[in-house]
Amino acid sequence: MKHVTIMGIPFIHTNQKQFVSLLVERIAQRKKTFVITANPEIVMKANEEPEFMDYVQQADYVTADGIGIVKAAQILNNPLPERVTGFDTMMQLLSIANERRYRIFLLGAQTETLEQTIKTINEQFPDVEIVGSNHGFFDWDNNDITNQIQQLQPDITFVALGVPRQEKWISENISTFGHGIFIGIGGSFDVLAG
Ligand code: UDP
């Protein structure tokens, strides 16, 4: 897989459609996958905080989330095809999940937002199976959520805890899961909830 490295972060050289196809392939192969869709804020944070850079380096794929990253790649004479955002990746995965009846888990946001997000997904993607969910203001020392995900084995876990909590949570817990896509999607539940 070709990469473009910007400030120490290896961005996958792909477009939105190809990237979603890659994730679908990984689901079929039951390959555990950690995805970060990195905007300039993430790049800066990783360069300022070594602990955060460690989380970023653990990801299987880092995509260019935003025109700022695409522009930076262009300036470095190593262009990336286009931006690959967390929100678009989530929506395209939900659309395929609806066709293939994927099992998904939603983690993050306020309870009300999460409930509205579930409602929206049920309306727009009725064949997606939401196997579990949890709001994003939980006690980090409690293993209930990890235990649930271990048992449910969702195909995709959308993690909407904001930066850097979502990357930290995935990094710290992914080794306990068997398979599935784990992707940080920031404020996307707020958008879906409307
Ligand atoms: N969030 C959460 N737990 C927290 C902090 C934030 O679930 O401890 C949620 C928040 O409700 C929102 C999402 O994370 O739905 C994104 O939050 P924010 O806008 O602060 O992060 P950013 O978009 O800047 O990464």
Side-chain angles (χ1 to χ4, degrees), residues 53 63 80 93 100 130:
M53 182 61 105
T63 74
L80 285 161
L93 279 175
R100 303 195 180 198
I130 302 174

Side-chain angles (χ1 to χ4, degrees), residues 14-16 19 37-38 63-66 70 82-86 88-89:
T14 188
N15 64 30
Q16 183 68 68
F19 184 62
T37 63
T63 74
D65 189 342
V70 174
E82 64 179 355
R83 66 193 183 127
V84 177
T85 71
D88 291 346
T89 303

Side-chain angles (χ1 to χ4, degrees), residues 12-28:
I12 179 172
H13 188 281
T14 188
N15 64 30
Q16 183 68 68
K17 195 161 176 262
Q18 281 169 347
F19 184 62
V20 170
S21 300
L22 173 66
L23 295 183
V24 167
E25 227 174 88
R26 300 271 298 188
I27 292 171

Side-chain angles (χ1 to χ4, degrees), residues 41 108-110 113 135-137 140 160-163 165-166 186-187 189-190:
E41 182 204 342
Q110 302 276 359
T113 306
H135 65 79
F137 296 86
W140 278 64
L161 302 174
V163 177
R165 288 173 292 269
Q166 57 199 22
F189 291 173
D190 299 76

Side-chain angles (χ1 to χ4, degrees), residues 64-191:
D65 189 342
I67 201 69
I69 306 288
V70 174
K71 286 243 162 79
Q74 212 170 6
I75 290 164
L76 293 170
N77 253 333
N78 211 347
L80 285 161
E82 64 179 355
R83 66 193 183 127
V84 177
T85 71
F87 185 75
D88 291 346
T89 303
M90 178 179 81
M91 294 311 283
Q92 291 185 22
L93 279 175
L94 283 172
S95 174
I96 295 170
N98 197 43
E99 289 163 16
R100 303 195 180 198
R101 297 176 177 264
Y102 287 157
R103 303 168 68 256
I104 69 165
F105 192 100
L106 307 177
L107 175 60
Q110 302 276 359
T111 303
E112 237 177 69
T113 306
L114 182 62
E115 280 170 5
Q116 187 54 48
T117 300
I118 292 170
K119 212 172 145 217
T120 305
I121 293 176
N122 283 334
E123 279 166 13
Q124 288 186 20
F125 308 100
D127 291 327
V128 173
E129 197 185 337
I130 302 174
V131 291
S133 63
N134 205 96
H135 65 79
F137 296 86
F138 51 86
D139 171 9
W140 278 64
D141 296 329
N142 186 325
N143 292 330
D144 283 0
I145 298 170
T146 355
N147 291 342
Q148 268 190 64
I149 295 174
Q150 282 162 13
Q151 278 164 25
L152 293 165
Q153 300 191 36
D155 297 302
I156 309 166
T157 300
F158 293 107
V159 186
L161 302 174
V163 177
R165 288 173 292 269
Q166 57 199 22
E167 289 74 25
K168 181 175 160 71
W169 188 88
I170 297 173
S171 289
E172 288 181 355
N173 292 288
I174 196 164
S175 67
T176 70
F177 305 134
H179 72 104
I181 306 289
F182 297 84
I183 176 167
I185 41 101
S188 295
F189 291 173
D190 299 76
V191 179

